Amino acid sequence: MKPVEPFFRDTGAGPGIVCFHANASHSAQWRELQDDLAANFRVLALDSWGAGKSPPWPTDRVVTLSDEVALAEPVLATAGQPLILVGHSYGAAVALVAAAQNPDRVRAMALYEPTLFALLDAETPPPNAADAIREVVAKARLSLEAGDLDSAAERFIDYWMGAGAWEQIPSQRKPAISASVVNLPGWAHALLNEPTPLQAFSALELPVLYMVGKHSPASSRAVARLLIRALPNVECVEFEDLGHMGPITHPGPVNTAIMQFIERL
């Protein structure tokens, strides 16, 4: 049987950088960053399970963040080592787990709001800052069970981007987003049940750029509070005008921060 491999975009030449995208997105979200870095780096951006052109979300098992790391392994191997990991939201959580599992292969990380909600539950059992995203997932699940993908997508997008955000998305883009949210319960399970403890990230001595948006939801900002305190070699950047989806809505300032961080390594 042929091994399952992800689709990935491969640009440039030089030391390797691997980019992980957010939920309801795909590798193309990093296209501008790839173009910006291609003169000096080989930049690979992959599609995660069920995203873009990668294999569909498995139905025969519960997918974990470790499964996402395993899917990415051919891309990580192609990038060589030591490499730099870039990630946003769910993708940033995958990058963190990848680094914790094999720190020797990672030179540095640039992360925009990893959504490792399991860290919040480990610190303080519910009720806690993850309750709002749990509620969104529960309501979206009901919409999915009723076959109403648009309603599920609206709940998801409005949580992360603000009330009314779904209505502002161009109609031609909505079908792809709606189709992707069938994986929402799986994403939530992976993030809320990730077993890697906070102490594992405390052992990562590598440089980390941790980016947050001032207007992001309490859940991702609460995760940031824990990780920024735990990571031993972290530089934090807060974007005054951005929210959780900053790398997609305003790639310019986010990509500039990432490039400046990489230049200082």
Side-chain angles (χ1 to χ4, degrees), residues 1-6 49 55 71 74:
M1 182 180 296
K2 184 179 178 180
V4 176
E5 295 188 358
W49 278 112
L71 179 69

Side-chain angles (χ1 to χ4, degrees), residues 32-114:
E32 289 184 31
L33 181 65
Q34 287 185 286
D35 291 343
D36 290 339
L37 292 169
N40 298 304
F41 295 90
R42 184 178 186 183
V43 190
L44 303 96
L46 71 144
D47 290 338
S48 64
W49 278 112
K53 298 178 182 179
S54 276
W57 191 268
T59 58
D60 60 342
R61 67 184 190 278
V62 175
V63 174
T64 67
L65 296 184
S66 289
D67 289 320
E68 296 281 12
V69 175
L71 179 69
E73 178 54 36
V75 183
L76 298 171
T78 298
Q81 61 182 58
L83 51 78
I84 297 170
L85 301 182
V86 175
H88 171 211
S89 191
Y90 182 87
V94 176
L96 269 169
V97 172
Q101 291 180 355
N102 197 342
D104 290 341
R105 85 192 305 179
V106 182
R107 177 186 174 196
M109 290 189 290
L111 309 173
Y112 196 106
E113 295 191 15

Side-chain angles (χ1 to χ4, degrees), residues 163-202:
W166 175 251
E167 289 298 326
Q168 301 300 315
I169 293 176
S171 58
Q172 65 269 24
R173 290 181 53 202
K174 287 183 175 180
I177 298 173
S178 294
S180 74
V181 298
V182 297
N183 299 327
L184 179 54
W187 298 335
H189 186 276
L191 295 169
L192 287 162
N193 294 278
E194 171 55 41
T196 307
L198 187 63
Q199 291 82 353
F201 304 119
S202 299

Side-chain angles (χ1 to χ4, degrees), residues 136-156 177-187:
V136 168
V137 172
K139 291 181 177 179
R141 188 191 297 271
L142 293 176
S143 295
L144 291 173
E145 291 172 353
D148 190 350
L149 271 64
D150 285 351
S151 178
E154 181 175 14
R155 292 185 184 280
F156 180 74
I177 298 173
S178 294
S180 74
V181 298
V182 297
N183 299 327
L184 179 54
W187 298 335

Side-chain angles (χ1 to χ4, degrees), residues 104-128:
D104 290 341
R105 85 192 305 179
V106 182
R107 177 186 174 196
M109 290 189 290
L111 309 173
Y112 196 106
E113 295 191 15
T115 45
L116 268 175
F117 302 125
L119 298 178
L120 300 177
D121 288 348
E123 181 201 36
T124 306
N128 58 30

